[in-house]
Amino acid sequence: MSSSTELVIILITLAFLSLMLNIDAQTDCSGDFFDLASARNITKCKKLTTLGAEFGWKYNVDNHTKQLQLDIILRASLHNAMGWLAWGVNPGQRPQMVGTRAIIGIRYLNGTSVIKTYNITQYTKIGCPLLPSEISDVNVSNTQVIYSATRYMMTIHASLILPQKDYNFSKLNHVWQVGQSANDVQPLMHATTLQNVDSTETLDLDTGTCVNIGHRRRHLRTVHGILNILGWGILLPIGVIIARYFRVHPFDLEKKKKLWFYLHVSFQSIGYVLGTIGWGIGLWLGHASKYYTFRTHRILAIFIFTFATLQMLAFRLKPKNTDDYRKHWNMYHHFLGYALLATISVNIFQGIAILKPVYTWKWAYVAILGAFGVVTIAFEIYTWIKFRKDIKEKKNQDLKAGAGPPTM
């Protein structure tokens, strides 16, 4: 196995290892939320995977009546003085918006709040108004909404009685959502970010573990991001830096059997392989998503893959040094390479904005770009100084050669 292949395997393994280490564990809720839940005799709670929401519950199965008695409490930030917070259960095969029996608390700008029950149907999905309604198969009582103006935090609490034939305590499909505006008691459309779309899971009320399609997709998005940053965003620029600065200065690798060229090809090839794998994962994620599309990110990604492939073909199809059009080919190759680097940087920032991971992602990549900038400037200065020095030495040598031996 070649060293390049081994390096590719190592980098892919690191990406998936990072994925596993960043899997969202079933983390405990915050202390103040636990106190809020405990005041209502709710002892189980967790941080949900999206929207910064925290969820607490207590359940009891009545085998005589075949009913599931459930007390819930949910808290999330509305991010402003008006908005709504929703939670609901879905008796269907999987957790989703359509079919959900929801409890929604609404906060108005005048400082008042209401909490109502809603049936979310397929008509809601196509834009029909969502208005309060009775829920036939779920008994809802003890509803309460609390709002904290200091942090724009809304908390909703309710008691539910669910028929066991439709709602399994070990596989309860539940959804949660946050919206920014309402028209009287009608919640208006929420945002369509990945955080909003992924706000569903199937929860085991006994153990607190969950199964979540969006949860798995988030991990694939993480792998997609890591591979693209490693491949397109780090290894390809290193390959370009080697090609531009390492032929003569500072290490004169041209004389050592074109060592610079083999290093250039190795970094470009490994970066291309990793980037292509990440691009393929991105295509699959885009195909699997029914509710959202990121057109700009997708178009830029296709542009990057297409023209990066053309650059890779140059290793085999480039003209010889003696060909008349080699100079023009070099100009095309260099211009396209620099254009690709600029596009890659823009699209990585696009991807980070879409994923909305922890801020360290963005600033880590800014630091990487900054390091490339410092290295490039340093090499440019060194190369220019060395170039001027070589010209001066050559002129001195020519002057000495032109003077000839002294006459007698």
Side-chain angles (χ1 to χ4, degrees):
M1 183 181 293
S2 67
S3 59
S4 297
T5 305
E6 291 175 351
L7 183 56
V8 171
I9 293 174
I10 290 171
L11 289 172
I12 293 175
T13 303
L14 288 174
F16 278 92
L17 184 59
S18 299
L19 163 70
M20 297 306 297
L21 292 175
N22 283 284
I23 288 177
D24 295 325
Q26 298 306 315
T27 55
D28 293 332
C29 54
S30 61
D32 61 330
F33 182 74
F34 180 79
D35 293 340
L36 196 64
S38 297
R40 292 162 176 78
N41 296 319
I42 293 175
T43 56
K44 292 187 177 183
C45 65
K46 58 178 268 190
K47 291 181 180 178
L48 296 174
T49 53
T50 63
L51 300 174
E54 295 183 282
F55 178 64
W57 71 95
K58 180 183 71 173
Y59 81 99
N60 178 59
V61 177
D62 190 330
N63 292 321
H64 178 69
T65 60
K66 302 297 182 182
Q67 291 180 327
L68 172 64
Q69 299 169 355
L70 179 64
D71 289 340
I72 66 97
I73 185 170
L74 176 73
R75 184 177 73 176
S77 175
L78 302 183
H79 302 293
N80 54 46
M82 181 181 182
W84 54 267
L85 176 63
W87 180 87
V89 290
N90 194 311
Q93 295 297 314
R94 60 189 181 91
Q96 60 180 2
M97 178 184 72
V98 175
T100 293
R101 283 68 165 149
I103 303 164
I104 302 180
I106 302 175
R107 175 74 176 185
Y108 302 107
L109 289 175
N110 62 10
T112 61
S113 302
V114 297
I115 185 168
K116 301 285 185 180
T117 59
Y118 298 78
N119 275 302
I120 302 177
T121 67
Q122 60 182 352
Y123 299 107
T124 309
K125 184 178 177 181
I126 62 175
C128 294
L130 178 61
L131 298 173
S133 62
E134 295 295 325
I135 302 175
S136 59
D137 60 337
V138 178
N139 184 295
V140 180
S141 60
N142 300 325
T143 56
Q144 184 182 17
V145 57
I146 304 170
Y147 181 78
S148 172
T150 55
R151 294 188 295 166
Y152 302 126
M153 283 288 186
M154 176 175 276
T155 304
I156 59 175
H157 169 258
S159 299
L160 299 88
I161 298 178
L162 312 168
Q164 282 193 68
K165 63 183 180 65
D166 296 321
Y167 301 92
N168 188 339
F169 76 90
S170 64
K171 295 180 179 179
L172 184 69
N173 297 326
H174 77 120
V175 303
W176 61 97
Q177 195 57 257
V178 173
Q180 302 302 318
S181 58
N183 181 12
D184 195 17
V185 292
Q186 177 195 345
L188 300 182
M189 181 63 185
H190 59 76
T192 56
T193 67
L194 294 180
Q195 288 269 318
N196 295 90
V197 174
D198 289 344
S199 296
T200 67
E201 68 180 22
T202 300
L203 176 66
D204 186 330
L205 294 175
D206 188 43
T207 64
T209 57
C210 65
V211 176
N212 190 325
I213 294 176
H215 187 73
R216 290 194 290 267
R217 285 180 183 168
R218 277 195 300 279
H219 300 329
L220 276 178
R221 292 176 198 135
T222 302
V223 172
H224 164 72
I226 290 172
L227 290 177
N228 282 331
I229 290 174
L230 274 175
W232 302 131
I234 297 177
L235 295 180
L236 256 63
I238 291 175
V240 172
I241 289 173
I242 290 172
R244 178 168 176 79
Y245 299 110
F246 280 54
R247 296 190 189 192
V248 179
H249 311 303
F251 301 116
D252 198 3
L253 300 183
E254 179 73 32
K255 295 179 180 179
K256 299 178 181 179
K257 298 181 180 179
K258 290 191 174 181
L259 180 56
W260 74 268
F261 179 74
Y262 297 117
L263 287 173
H264 171 62
V265 171
S266 296
F267 275 96
Q268 298 294 88
S269 299
I270 296 169
Y272 177 78
V273 170
L274 293 179
T276 300
I277 294 171
W279 177 74
I281 293 173
L283 284 184
W284 182 87
L285 287 169
H287 178 73
S289 63
K290 299 178 180 178
Y291 306 109
Y292 51 85
T293 182
F294 304 101
R295 190 175 302 278
T296 301
H297 187 59
R298 184 184 183 91
I299 291 172
L300 290 177
I302 293 173
F303 173 88
I304 290 167
F305 173 75
T306 301
F307 289 100
T309 302
L310 283 178
Q311 292 288 78
M312 296 301 297
L313 291 175
F315 294 139
R316 290 291 182 185
L317 303 178
K318 67 178 180 179
K320 296 179 181 179
N321 290 333
T322 55
D323 290 338
D324 294 335
Y325 57 92
R326 176 59 186 260
K327 179 180 179 181
H328 302 290
W329 183 90
N330 283 341
M331 293 173 60
Y332 142 79
H333 185 62
H334 295 163
F335 174 79
L336 183 56
Y338 296 137
L340 273 173
L341 292 185
T343 307
I344 286 167
S345 297
V346 170
N347 211 32
I348 286 176
F349 281 117
Q350 278 269 332
I352 292 173
I354 291 168
L355 282 179
K356 298 186 185 299
V358 292
Y359 285 111
T360 50
W361 277 61
K362 178 180 178 180
W363 293 114
Y365 186 61
V366 168
I368 290 169
L369 291 181
F372 282 145
V374 170
V375 169
T376 301
I377 292 171
F379 279 145
E380 282 289 345
I381 294 172
Y382 179 87
T383 300
W384 178 251
I385 293 172
K386 184 67 175 175
F387 175 71
R388 297 288 296 177
K389 183 178 179 181
D390 289 348
I391 290 178
K392 187 175 181 180
E393 289 177 354
K394 189 176 184 302
K395 284 183 178 179
N396 290 336
Q397 291 174 0
D398 291 343
L399 287 174
K400 290 180 181 179
T407 57
M408 298 298 294

